[in-house]
Amino acid sequence: MRKKFVYFVLVPIVALCVVLYLFIDGWAESGLESAGEAIVGARVEIDNLHLSLSPIAIQFSRLRVANPKDPWKNIFETGKVRFSLDFWQLLRGKYIIETMEVDNLILGTKRTTNGSLPKPPPTPANQTSAVSELTSALGNEAQKAPVFDLNKIRSELKIDSLLNTQNLRTVQYIDSLKLQVRDASQQWQTTLNDVEKSKQRLADVQSSINAINLNELKTVQNITAALNNVNNAYKGINDINETFKNRRAAVTSQLDRLTTSVNAIDSYARSDYEMVRRLARVPDLSTQGLTKLLLGREILQKVSTYLSWIDLARRTVPKYVSEPKDEKPPRFKGQDIHFPVDRAYPKLWIKKIAISGGEDKAQNPDCFYAKGEVRNITNDQRITGFPLTVSLSGGRASGSDFTFDASFDRRPDTPVDNYKVTASNVPITDITFGQADFVPSRITKAVINSSAAVTVPGDQFDSNIKLGFRDLTLVFDRSPQGDIERITRDVLAGITGFNVGLRLWNTAGPLDIALTTDLDDQLSARTKKVIGDEFAKLQNDIRSKVDQRIAEKRAEFEKMFNQKKDEALSQLKGYESLVNQNLALLDGKKKDLDARIEQEKKKQLQNAVKGLFKRP
Amino acid sequence: MFWLQIIKGFISVLRSGQTPRQIAAGFALGAIVGLMPFLTLQGLLLWLVILVFDVNLSAALLAVTLFALLSYIIDPLLHAIGYFLLVDTSSLHGFWTSLYNAPIAPLTRFNNTVVLGSFVAGFLLLLPVYFGMRHFVLAYRTHLHTKVEQLKIYQIISKSTLVKWYDRIKNITS
């Protein structure tokens, strides 16, 4: 035995280990706090952490996690927390915890110190998740909600600026019709020129027919020759007539098409009116519109807040497997041969966190005391084979209860998060009801029962939220301004409860929002009656200005269109009568010639008969 | 320069001081350590044995150096031995599997072909190296030392300031 080595090397090393052990509690405490703060983004405080070696276990007397959105409150705080690590797995560099016991979990406790952290450097813009995109889409949706203040609408309503001709599809449509009419007019003119050329032929035919004098035709041969001339002329005129009919049909069908297009101006004008009305943010007083006006912005903002928590969970729960370490190849690399593993373990696996809610709820009557369990926190769910699940329930002294069940599945290629939340008898104070610029009111007292089911598969999102307001009391922030507000307040004051259903989803592309409620039925009848007249005036104003702007263009176009149409039709009509006149003339001539032939034939027959009985 | 000091120290112990068994044991243990890749559990244990037990440190360091160079040269052979034991010898698969699932054994990196091959080679060479070295020390002390000490290079090394400084440090730990 090398005694000097033992005395001068081994003994100091052992002494150093003892010193390390004495200070390791503090180091472990600050290490865990830093790791927690990096995840949450707010102060994480652990009190009185103690690390024991046999068995290897950690316990601390209190854990407080500040709310990054409200640093004067905690997301939760706990009482004593205890857990032990699997020694044999620790030797393999794995942190396996069978059960972590958490006592007295309380949600939303107040803090005496600010729990915010110094602001981190801004994250790159491309690190947006699907849920954060949804959050921003919700913000935009809230901004788009119509304004419900008549005075504001009146003062801000600048219809003339909205009536930019570039915005009005009707004007653009009329302009395109004008071009079509011009093109058609040119085609008509070409056709009419062709018809004009045929007029000369008609005149020639007419003069040749007029030249046939029946009295000068003495023999059957002369008459027959004249008849042949008439028949040939008849045939020529029929050809001209046929060509004319075809061209007239073409012009007429083009006119019919253009007339139909002109009639479509009305539907363009209607859509232009709707567009200008939306731009002017004049609300549509349908039953769906009312609830969106009164509650939409508030609910969407609340949902947006909860979405940010879902986004945090999506980013924090590890996606698939731990990232492979960047290893430098050793001098003698060799080849690692792997053997079947009876039971593989991930780097970190907390199999179960047993949470017990505190008993004395009266200590923090405003906070929720939660109990339940969290299972399978791990860095690699594909090794453990289990998703992370959370099942909590709780309540507070006032009688409110809640349940929260969630699962975060990172085993499949597409991660799936599911949430189910219910809350009952939750007193609500200070919810804005109605917009600040119209019937500014607040729900100062109400009880809400709610349930929500959210599924987040991959980048998609689907949520169903049901809210039931009961025993509510409304307080109005100002004296009524005008009859409309007064009567609307009377309507609102009579409401003691209502249900709201909200679905947000983006399973088929962009975000869709559906808001349903029975509040509409209660509100719509009287409110529509009262304020409908005022909005009707505004809408009529918009409609008349839109109509006026479109009417100018339309009159100009119709004048041009009718002029061109009349020109074409009158020319066609004149030519048609000329053709018909010639045809009538030919018919008359032909009849006369036929009669004359008959007459001559009869005369010749009589002469022949007379010749038979004449004496030689 | 460090290695010159080791050689000088080694030559001095060959001549006198520690027993041939201590020198041979240090050299044999150093041979196993030198053959194996760095940073394995068994490597650390062997270093602890070398440092705790009264074997010759210079012989151990020299053996580590010489056998590390040797293992670099015969690395394909060591890999082949390890591959044969881990893969081709099916009768051992059950043993390796149970070792693979045991808590501490994976820290030895036994499932690496070069680690296992070099450990087995070192273990097999342990006794031959030990007895060979002991025989060499005895022979050196009887016949060779006077000739070596007359070499000019030995005199240069032994008079170096650094070597004297190294001797003082070594005396503290021995």
Side-chain angles (χ1 to χ4, degrees):
Chain A
M1 182 73 77
R2 207 188 297 271
K3 288 180 183 172
K4 284 183 181 174
F5 173 78
V6 173
Y7 295 148
F8 292 103
V9 180
L10 278 188
V11 171
I13 287 173
V14 171
L16 186 65
C17 289
V18 172
V19 172
L20 286 177
Y21 179 69
L22 291 175
F23 288 99
I24 201 164
D25 286 354
W27 295 337
E29 190 175 299
S30 60
L32 287 173
E33 285 174 346
S34 300
E37 285 170 356
I39 293 169
V40 177
R43 288 257 178 259
V44 173
E45 290 153 321
I46 294 172
D47 296 346
N48 304 322
L49 183 140
H50 176 63
L51 176 72
S52 62
L53 289 181
S54 179
I56 294 182
I58 291 176
Q59 73 169 42
F60 40 86
S61 60
R62 185 161 71 158
L63 166 67
R64 286 179 295 172
V65 179
N67 187 340
K69 298 179 191 306
D70 183 1
W72 291 97
K73 277 189 173 180
N74 291 314
I75 299 174
F76 65 85
E77 75 170 67
T78 69
K80 188 182 278 187
V81 176
R82 297 176 290 275
F83 62 93
S84 59
L85 290 153
D86 185 325
F87 172 74
W88 297 109
Q89 291 303 328
L90 194 62
L91 287 178
R92 304 182 71 173
K94 300 184 178 198
Y95 305 94
I96 310 299
I97 298 164
E98 280 293 330
T99 301
M100 180 186 283
E101 293 172 27
V102 179
D103 293 342
N104 295 339
L105 179 67
I106 309 172
L107 308 178
T109 51
K110 287 179 183 171
R111 292 177 59 88
T112 53
T113 57
N114 189 342
S116 60
L117 292 173
K119 282 192 176 177
T123 51
N126 58 357
Q127 288 182 345
T128 54
S129 67
V131 179
S132 62
E133 283 170 16
L134 277 174
T135 311
S136 91
L138 274 176
N140 294 336
E141 194 69 26
Q143 285 299 318
K144 279 194 287 185
V147 178
F148 212 71
D149 184 344
L150 284 171
N151 293 327
K152 191 174 179 186
I153 291 172
R154 279 200 197 97
S155 64
E156 291 183 356
L157 190 59
K158 295 183 176 60
I159 299 173
D160 291 337
S161 67
L162 299 172
L163 289 177
N164 185 340
T165 48
Q166 288 178 344
N167 292 335
L168 294 177
R169 287 178 65 207
T170 312
V171 174
Q172 293 165 13
Y173 183 67
I174 290 173
D175 286 342
S176 79
L177 278 182
K178 265 186 186 172
L179 290 175
Q180 287 180 42
V181 169
R182 278 200 192 106
D183 291 345
S185 173
Q186 284 175 358
Q187 287 176 24
W188 299 340
Q189 202 52 53
T190 311
T191 307
L192 291 172
N193 288 340
D194 291 344
V195 169
E196 204 62 36
K197 285 175 192 167
S198 303
K199 267 186 178 174
Q200 188 55 46
R201 276 184 69 194
L202 281 173
D204 293 345
V205 169
Q206 196 173 13
S207 61
S208 69
I209 298 301
N210 284 335
I212 297 172
N213 189 349
L214 291 177
N215 296 327
E216 291 175 359
L217 301 173
K218 300 295 183 187
T219 63
V220 172
Q221 286 80 12
N222 288 341
I223 295 168
T224 307
L227 186 61
N228 285 338
N229 285 340
V230 168
N231 281 335
N232 288 336
Y234 200 84
K235 196 178 169 189
I237 286 182
N238 267 338
D239 288 344
I240 292 170
N241 195 24
E242 199 61 35
T243 310
F244 166 73
K245 277 180 181 171
N246 288 338
R247 288 181 174 168
R248 189 181 61 180
V251 170
T252 311
S253 80
Q254 207 165 25
L255 275 171
D256 288 344
R257 276 203 307 276
L258 284 170
T259 307
T260 310
S261 302
V262 170
N263 292 336
I265 291 174
D266 291 335
S267 69
Y268 276 94
R270 276 196 297 276
S271 69
D272 273 342
Y273 160 70
E274 285 298 324
M275 185 268 294
V276 173
R277 190 185 64 75
R278 277 199 305 277
L279 287 175
R281 301 179 78 194
V282 177
D284 181 18
L285 286 178
S286 66
T287 46
Q288 281 297 317
L290 278 173
T291 301
K292 202 167 180 180
L293 288 165
L294 290 167
L295 273 171
R297 202 177 281 183
E298 181 74 14
I299 287 181
L300 289 178
Q301 280 169 355
K302 292 247 184 257
V303 169
S304 172
T305 307
Y306 292 119
L307 276 177
S308 67
W309 288 108
I310 290 173
D311 190 34
L312 178 69
R314 168 51 61 92
R315 283 186 280 110
T316 307
V317 177
K319 193 176 179 187
Y320 302 123
V321 295
S322 49
E323 292 290 321
K325 285 181 182 172
D326 184 16
E327 291 179 357
K328 287 183 180 176
R331 183 164 61 96
F332 306 118
K333 192 177 175 186
Q335 180 184 348
D336 287 333
I337 310 296
H338 296 283
F339 296 92
V341 178
D342 295 339
R343 185 61 208 261
Y345 286 93
K347 184 86 176 168
L348 168 71
W349 187 7
I350 303 174
K351 292 183 180 175
K352 181 180 171 184
I353 300 176
I355 300 162
S356 64
E359 295 299 322
D360 189 5
K361 292 182 182 176
Q363 277 189 341
N364 290 291
D366 295 333
C367 300
F368 280 98
Y369 284 67
K371 62 182 177 181
E373 59 183 36
V374 180
R375 285 183 175 270
N376 300 304
I377 295 176
T378 179
N379 68 315
D380 193 342
Q381 290 184 359
R382 285 186 172 173
I383 293 179
T384 63
F386 300 107
L388 166 61
T389 57
V390 181
S391 178
L392 293 176
S393 63
R396 55 183 173 189
S398 59
S400 307
D401 297 313
F402 81 94
T403 64
F404 176 82
D405 293 279
S407 73
F408 307 89
D409 196 347
R410 299 292 180 273
R411 293 170 299 169
D413 287 340
T414 305
V416 182
D417 297 352
N418 286 302
Y419 301 84
K420 277 185 185 172
V421 185
T422 63
S424 57
N425 299 321
V426 180
I428 296 290
T429 55
D430 219 24
I431 278 194
T432 305
F433 190 79
Q435 295 175 14
D437 36 21
F438 173 72
V439 199
S441 55
R442 286 175 292 115
I443 296 174
T444 55
K445 186 183 162 192
V447 173
I448 189 170
N449 295 322
S450 62
S451 66
V454 182
T455 307
V456 191
D459 289 339
Q460 296 181 339
F461 179 87
D462 194 351
S463 67
N464 277 294
I465 300 161
K466 288 177 184 170
L467 303 167
F469 291 85
R470 298 283 173 271
D471 306 330
L472 65 87
T473 306
L474 275 174
V475 167
F476 297 93
D477 291 350
R478 69 177 186 209
S479 303
Q481 296 178 354
D483 289 343
I484 298 163
E485 259 195 54
R486 182 177 54 75
I487 296 171
T488 310
R489 279 176 54 164
D490 289 345
V491 174
L492 294 174
I495 294 166
T496 57
F498 59 91
N499 297 310
V500 176
L502 177 68
R503 186 182 174 209
L504 290 110
W505 74 103
N506 74 341
T507 48
L511 175 73
D512 283 311
I513 299 172
L515 190 70
T516 58
T517 177
D518 58 357
L519 178 63
D520 289 326
D521 297 334
Q522 299 179 51
L523 290 175
S524 62
R526 283 189 68 184
T527 313
K528 278 177 88 170
K529 185 176 182 310
V530 172
I531 59 177
D533 293 344
E534 281 292 327
F535 281 114
K537 276 183 199 168
L538 279 172
Q539 289 173 351
N540 286 338
D541 193 18
I542 291 173
R543 187 184 292 278
S544 68
K545 292 209 171 182
V546 170
D547 287 347
Q548 185 188 349
R549 187 63 58 92
I550 292 170
E552 290 166 11
K553 279 273 177 187
R554 184 173 184 156
E556 186 188 327
F557 164 74
E558 284 183 344
K559 187 180 170 189
M560 183 195 86
F561 176 62
N562 288 331
Q563 186 187 346
K564 299 275 182 193
K565 185 172 127 184
D566 291 346
E567 276 175 18
L569 287 177
S570 68
Q571 285 192 41
L572 286 171
K573 202 169 182 180
Y575 189 73
E576 188 177 15
S577 67
L578 187 62
V579 170
N580 288 337
Q581 196 181 341
N582 274 297
L583 282 171
L585 183 64
L586 280 171
D587 279 341
K589 244 350 165 192
K590 196 179 170 190
K591 277 179 188 167
D592 288 349
L593 286 169
D594 284 342
R596 189 61 193 275
I597 286 171
E598 287 299 318
Q599 193 183 349
E600 279 300 316
K601 281 180 180 173
K602 199 182 276 180
K603 200 174 171 183
Q604 285 184 4
L605 188 64
Q606 283 174 353
N607 288 338
V609 170
K610 278 182 185 174
L612 286 174
F613 293 101
K614 207 174 177 182
R615 290 177 184 171
Chain B
M1 190 57 80
F2 178 72
W3 299 112
L4 292 177
Q5 293 156 14
I6 292 171
I7 292 165
K8 186 257 175 188
F10 179 68
I11 292 171
S12 347
V13 295
L14 285 178
R15 185 185 58 209
S16 62
Q18 291 187 294
T19 65
R21 285 168 58 191
Q22 284 174 308
I23 296 166
F27 196 82
L29 288 170
I32 303 178
V33 173
L35 276 176
M36 285 193 305
F38 202 57
L39 278 183
T40 58
L41 183 63
Q42 66 274 28
L44 292 175
L45 287 174
L46 282 167
W47 272 115
L48 200 65
V49 169
I50 290 168
L51 292 170
V52 171
F53 292 100
D54 198 9
V55 295
N56 185 262
L57 202 57
S58 297
L61 287 171
L62 186 68
V64 167
T65 309
L66 292 176
F67 280 85
L69 289 170
L70 178 69
S71 73
Y72 191 81
I73 296 164
I74 62 166
D75 183 64
L77 176 67
L78 299 176
H79 166 75
I81 294 170
Y83 192 86
F84 172 77
L85 292 170
L86 286 167
V87 179
D88 294 340
T89 314
S90 55
S91 57
L92 286 173
H93 283 181
F95 173 67
W96 300 134
T97 303
S98 57
L99 214 55
Y100 194 74
N101 286 283
I104 298 175
L107 297 177
T108 63
R109 294 178 58 207
F110 75 92
N111 61 319
N112 183 282
T113 52
V114 170
V115 172
L116 185 68
S118 58
F119 179 74
V120 171
F123 194 75
L124 291 175
L125 287 173
L126 184 66
L127 289 179
V129 168
Y130 173 78
F131 287 112
M133 193 62 193
R134 200 178 69 162
H135 182 74
F136 173 71
V137 172
L138 289 171
Y140 179 85
R141 287 184 179 175
T142 318
H143 309 293
L144 294 174
H145 76 277
T146 50
K147 292 178 184 173
V148 171
E149 283 175 5
Q150 285 169 359
L151 291 174
K152 196 163 187 178
I153 188 162
Y154 175 81
Q155 290 170 1
I156 292 169
I157 291 169
S158 62
K159 288 174 183 171
S160 161
T161 314
L162 282 169
V163 170
K164 287 175 183 169
W165 173 82
Y166 170 76
D167 285 340
R168 280 202 293 275
I169 299 292
K170 196 190 77 174
N171 287 334
I172 293 170
T173 57
S174 61

